[in-house]
Amino acid sequence: MEKKSMDWENIGFSYIETDKRYVANYKDGKWDDGALIDDANITMNECAGVLQYAQTIFEGMKAYTTEDGRIVTFRPDLNAARMADSAKRLEMPVFPEERFVEAVVETVKANEAYVPPYGSGATLYIRPYMFGINPVIGVKPADEYQFRVFTTPVGPYFKGGAKPITICVSDFDRAAPHGTGHIKAGLNYAMSLHAIMTAHANGFDENMYLDSATRTKVEETGGANFIFVTKDNKIVTPHSDTILPSITRRSIMYVAEHYLGLEVEERDVYFDEVKDFAECGLCGTAAVISPVGKVVDHGKEICFPSGMEKMGPTTQKLYETLTGIQMGQIDAPEGWIKEIK
Ligand SMILES: *Cc1c(COP(=O)(O)O)cnc(C)c1O
C-alpha cells in the first residue's frame, strides 16, 4: 500500500478528505450492519433533529505509526465507553462499544495511505460521531440516528518545540452543575465559541474556566483538562463532575504514578492555590500536553517558575513518557495500544 505523498510536517489542523468513512444507521429501534462508503457528504431532511436541537455527540482520537512500522490507536475502548455515556445523557441510542472499536479499526485500515509516517510528528485524527437525523419539530429525541467515523491527517501540534501559552480566567461559564460538561456533546462547543473568540481578541491563547457555582475552583479549558505540578513534585488535577474526563489526563496520572513514581492527587483545586504551583499543562488528544506559562486573572498575572520558553521539567517527562508509549518506544500498560496493522 502506497502512502499519499504529502508535506506531513506542514499539513496543519484542518479537514482533509480521505477515501473511506464508516456509516451505521439506527432505525426502528436497531442499528444496521454498517459499511464503509465513499461519499463524504450527508443528505438529510431540513428538520433533522441535529439541525434543530443539536442532538449530536462526538469523540476524538488518533492513529499513529510506531517506530517499527505498525499502525496503532490509543485506548479506543475508553472513547467507546465515553461515547456511550454521552449518548445516554442526550437520550440517544448507544452504539455498541465493541462495534465502535471495530468501526474505528476498519476506517483507519481503509485510509491507511493517509496515516502519516513515523517521525513526521503528524498523525491520523479519527472522528467518531453520532446525530439525530429524522425530522423533529416538537422538542423530543429523534427516532433515527447515524453513527459515523471519518479520518483526516493532521500535522504536528507543536512545530519547533512546545512553547508555553498564556491563558486567561474566563468571565463565561463552560458547564453548569448537573449539566452536560462531562459529556462530549457538540452543544458544549457551540456555546464556547464566543468565549474563545473573546479570549483571542484579548490576546490570550485559551480560557481557564472556573466552576460556575462558586467561581473559586479550577475546572478546565474549552477542550483540555488541567494538570499542575506542585513545588514538591506532586501531580495534581482538578476533580469535578462538570469536567470532561480526558483520556489523556487519566493516562498521564497513571504514567506519573506507575512509570515516574510520583505522587498524584485528583481533588478540588482552588484558584487561590494556582499561584503556588511550579508547572501547569493542558491535556488532550490534540497536543497530548500543552505547557501553560502564564495565567492572567483580570490583569493579575500568575507566572509559573517553568517560564515562557519551554515545558517545565516534570511536564516534559510526562510528555515524553506518554508519547513514547503511544509511539511504541516504551512498553505500554496492558490494553492501552490497539494494533490496527
Ligand atoms: C475531548 C475533550 C478533552 C480532552 O479529552 P481527551 O480524551 O484527552 O482527548 C478535554 N476537555 C473537553 C471539554 C473535551 O471535549
Side-chain angles (χ1 to χ4, degrees):
M1 193 269 343
E2 190 154 349
K3 289 277 175 206
K4 298 285 164 184
S5 85
M6 282 196 215
D7 181 10
W8 299 110
E9 268 107 280
N10 293 302
I11 52 177
F13 197 98
S14 52
Y15 172 73
I16 297 170
E17 191 179 318
T18 56
D19 294 341
K20 301 280 183 185
R21 64 277 303 122
Y22 179 89
V23 183
N25 287 292
Y26 182 89
K27 198 176 172 172
D28 301 326
K30 57 181 190 299
W31 288 102
D32 69 11
D33 289 340
L36 288 168
I37 63 162
D38 294 326
D39 192 356
N41 294 301
I42 301 171
T43 302
M44 67 177 88
N45 186 269
E46 62 191 352
C47 197
V50 59
L51 299 179
Q52 303 311 324
Y53 303 123
Q55 203 183 11
T56 181
I57 56 176
F58 67 99
E59 277 299 324
M61 54 214 289
K62 284 173 168 179
Y64 310 83
T65 304
T66 61
E67 199 167 13
D68 57 0
R70 291 171 300 139
I71 296 175
V72 301
T73 59
F74 184 68
R75 311 187 79 180
D77 52 319
L78 297 189
N79 295 93
R82 191 168 66 187
M83 194 165 195
D85 291 340
S86 299
K88 288 173 199 158
R89 181 63 177 77
L90 292 196
E91 292 292 339
M92 302 166 89
V94 169
F95 191 70
E97 292 177 38
E98 327 74 66
R99 286 193 63 192
F100 175 105
V101 175
E102 277 165 31
V104 165
V105 168
E106 289 311 307
T107 313
V108 173
K109 265 192 195 155
N111 295 296
E112 192 193 335
Y114 296 89
V115 184
Y118 175 79
S120 64
T123 53
L124 187 71
Y125 186 76
I126 307 164
R127 171 53 61 87
Y129 61 115
M130 191 203 292
F131 52 92
I133 198 165
N134 67 298
V136 175
I137 193 71
V139 177
K140 65 176 168 86
D143 304 305
E144 295 172 16
Y145 293 85
Q146 200 161 85
F147 169 82
R148 286 188 166 242
V149 184
F150 72 77
T151 61
T152 188
V154 296
Y157 196 85
F158 301 114
K159 271 196 294 176
K163 280 276 178 199
I165 59 169
T166 300
I167 65 176
C168 62
V169 175
S170 183
D171 287 325
F172 299 100
D173 292 325
R174 192 194 81 87
H178 316 294
T180 56
H182 61 301
I183 62 162
K184 223 166 166 70
L187 57 90
N188 290 334
Y189 279 78
M191 64 71 144
S192 76
L193 297 175
H194 181 59
I196 191 66
M197 294 308 282
T198 304
H200 288 168
N202 292 329
F204 302 109
D205 297 301
E206 263 297 345
N207 281 306
M208 171 186 272
Y209 291 105
L210 303 180
D211 75 292
S212 55
T214 70
R215 291 195 163 235
T216 57
K217 289 181 268 185
V218 176
E219 293 252 298
E220 61 171 319
T221 67
N225 287 180
F226 279 104
I227 52 158
F228 297 99
V229 182
T230 65
K231 287 185 176 141
D232 55 1
N233 219 25
K234 264 190 226 157
I235 311 299
V236 178
T237 193
H239 174 82
S240 160
D241 293 340
T242 51
I243 289 177
L244 191 285
S246 157
I247 294 164
T248 314
R249 186 256 303 161
R250 286 182 268 165
S251 305
I252 286 169
M253 297 305 275
Y254 184 92
V255 161
E257 187 174 359
H258 299 278
Y259 282 64
L260 302 180
L262 301 174
E263 236 180 279
V264 298
E265 287 177 355
E266 184 174 352
R267 59 164 170 85
D268 285 345
V269 174
Y270 287 88
F271 182 70
D272 282 347
E273 57 180 312
V274 169
K275 63 179 184 343
D276 301 323
F277 290 122
E279 300 175 34
C280 173
L282 304 179
C283 332
T285 295
V288 184
I289 308 179
S290 314
V292 175
K294 196 192 284 189
V295 181
V296 181
D297 175 24
H298 302 90
K300 264 195 316 210
E301 293 191 350
I302 296 172
C303 299
F304 295 105
S306 50
M308 296 303 291
E309 284 307 310
K310 52 184 191 345
M311 276 194 193
T314 300
T315 307
Q316 182 76 34
K317 265 190 218 133
L318 290 167
Y319 178 81
E320 280 167 8
T321 312
L322 185 56
T323 53
I325 290 170
Q326 290 171 332
M327 297 291 174
Q329 297 144 326
I330 298 174
D331 279 341
E334 182 76 33
W336 278 25
I337 301 296
K338 172 81 183 170
E339 201 157 319
I340 288 181
K341 228 186 123 120

